Amino acid sequence: MNINSMNIKPLCVLSLAEKAGILGHILIYRSWGQKTKDLILSYVEERMKPGDVLELDFEGVSYCDSVFLDEIVLGVQLVILKKQDNIMYLSNINSSIEESLRHVISWRKDAKVQKITVLFYQGGRFNYMGHLEPMASRVFEIVSIKGKITARELSDMLGTAIYNASALLKKLYDNRLVMRREFSDSTGLSHQYILPRKRIKQTEA
């Protein structure tokens, strides 16, 4: 797939909640989250193509409780994880939303249900919430600085074997913290691991 084909598909959480009949900037209750999630998943299935990036924009939302976020963030991420060529990130999350989301991610870990990591954009850079092994976390830091990298480039930076570098990058890909694109060079078929670019403002629905 062409690296330049990555398209950002932004959705405004506040507008979606309003479409679901939920008014106000405080979003709580699992039932509210389920209604909003249904709209998001409908969009994902009907309008997202391979290579598209889903941005959930929380602008205007002052607070979400953990069960609402469990539905619209983690519930949607579980669907994204099943798709090979899509990724999701959050934007415009305030400190209270971040705290609620970290709480529900931590709960999933303690409850021994499927662990989920979530990509978000804050303070001019991409970061993640959730559990990664220390070395994978270090590799994410490298990718977040460079924007894109191959296993060979990472291998040279870390002084490790290419198969180790490739395994670390695949962990990020499997958690949908990066996207992966195939390309051909003098060594044959290779993969490049990429963070999405930040969208220029303009949010759908």
Side-chain angles (χ1 to χ4, degrees), residues 106-203:
S106 177
W107 172 84
R108 292 186 67 90
K109 178 183 175 185
D110 293 342
K112 294 182 170 54
V113 293
Q114 183 176 351
K115 296 175 184 175
I116 299 177
T117 54
V118 177
L119 186 68
F120 68 100
Y121 187 86
Q122 189 177 66
R125 56 164 292 179
F126 282 100
N127 209 333
Y128 73 92
M129 297 182 215
H131 174 74
L132 282 181
E133 297 170 0
M135 198 62 194
S137 183
R138 180 184 173 193
V139 171
F140 179 85
E141 289 293 322
I142 292 171
V143 180
S144 70
I145 293 169
K146 292 180 66 65
K148 55 188 177 182
I149 198 168
T150 65
R152 184 173 298 278
E153 290 167 341
L154 182 64
S155 171
D156 291 341
M157 290 181 69
L158 298 179
T160 189
I162 275 193
Y163 66 84
N164 287 334
S166 181
L168 287 166
L169 287 167
K170 189 174 184 299
K171 284 183 180 179
L172 300 186
Y173 170 74
D174 288 343
N175 282 281
R176 293 303 181 272
L177 297 178
V178 295
M179 298 190 79
R180 184 173 68 183
R181 295 289 180 264
E182 289 184 350
F183 69 97
S184 297
D185 61 13
S186 58
T187 64
L189 192 64
S190 299
H191 288 110
Q192 187 174 52
Y193 294 82
I194 316 159
L195 275 173
R197 65 184 184 277
K198 180 65 178 74
R199 169 183 60 92
I200 298 172
K201 198 68 179 174
Q202 201 172 38
T203 306

Side-chain angles (χ1 to χ4, degrees), residues 15-168:
S15 295
L16 286 168
E18 289 175 357
K19 284 186 176 181
I22 302 159
L23 302 179
H25 53 85
I26 297 175
L27 302 177
I28 54 177
Y29 307 132
R30 187 171 296 278
S31 60
W32 289 9
Q34 289 168 342
K35 291 178 181 179
T36 308
K37 179 182 71 175
D38 287 346
L39 292 174
I40 297 170
L41 293 182
S42 177
Y43 182 92
V44 168
E45 296 301 330
E46 295 173 9
R47 301 185 62 179
M48 286 188 67
K49 300 175 182 177
D52 285 348
V53 178
L54 177 64
E55 177 188 354
L56 287 187
D57 185 350
F58 283 78
E59 185 172 18
V61 179
S62 61
Y63 176 76
C64 297
D65 68 5
S66 57
V67 292
F68 182 89
L69 292 169
D70 189 34
E71 292 294 331
I72 74 155
V73 176
L74 304 190
V76 173
Q77 183 73 328
L78 284 170
V79 173
I80 295 292
L81 287 169
K82 296 176 183 177
K83 296 178 175 292
Q84 292 187 351
D85 296 310
N86 296 115
I87 193 172
M88 176 182 77
Y89 74 90
L90 316 181
S91 65
N92 293 310
I93 58 171
N94 61 30
S95 58
S96 66
I97 295 172
E98 180 179 348
E99 182 180 355
S100 293
L101 187 53
R102 289 190 185 278
H103 173 77
V104 72
I105 289 173
S106 177
W107 172 84
R108 292 186 67 90
K109 178 183 175 185
D110 293 342
K112 294 182 170 54
V113 293
Q114 183 176 351
K115 296 175 184 175
I116 299 177
T117 54
V118 177
L119 186 68
F120 68 100
Y121 187 86
Q122 189 177 66
R125 56 164 292 179
F126 282 100
N127 209 333
Y128 73 92
M129 297 182 215
H131 174 74
L132 282 181
E133 297 170 0
M135 198 62 194
S137 183
R138 180 184 173 193
V139 171
F140 179 85
E141 289 293 322
I142 292 171
V143 180
S144 70
I145 293 169
K146 292 180 66 65
K148 55 188 177 182
I149 198 168
T150 65
R152 184 173 298 278
E153 290 167 341
L154 182 64
S155 171
D156 291 341
M157 290 181 69
L158 298 179
T160 189
I162 275 193
Y163 66 84
N164 287 334
S166 181
L168 287 166

